[in-house]
Amino acid sequence: MIVCVCHRVSDRAIERAARAGADFDEIQLELGVATQCGKCEGCARALWSECRSGSPRMGHLSQELGISMPQVVVA
């Protein structure tokens, strides 16, 4: 999903950077997220924080934003 429309930054790009150890300022500098209109900052920071804490991807964030995420079952 696109988190930052202004710079076309996806949740996956933010997740990769967060899991690689980037702090939010570095993500802003490298990806441009939350540097133009700022409407994505809350979502981007929540996603970054969740990924940094090692929580399952989009778990609590999807509930917080009211997004229903499909359940993936691996056999």
Side-chain angles (χ1 to χ4, degrees):
M1 129 178 113
I2 297 297
V3 174
C4 177
V5 176
C6 297
H7 293 284
R8 196 164 169 80
V9 179
S10 71
D11 58 336
R12 292 179 183 184
I14 295 169
E15 178 186 14
R16 276 192 301 272
R19 293 201 190 280
D23 63 27
F24 196 77
D25 290 340
E26 291 171 322
I27 290 173
Q28 285 185 295
L29 182 64
E30 293 297 318
L31 302 177
V33 69
T35 60
Q36 193 161 342
C37 78
K39 291 182 180 179
C40 64
E41 186 169 358
C43 178
R45 282 188 185 274
L47 177 59
W48 169 80
S49 178
E50 189 170 318
C51 291
R52 291 283 297 227
S53 70
S55 298
R57 182 170 135 43
M58 294 295 288
H60 300 290
L61 181 61
S62 61
Q63 291 173 354
E64 189 177 305
L65 298 175
I67 302 168
S68 65
M69 301 297 288
Q71 296 295 319
V72 177
V73 178
V74 179

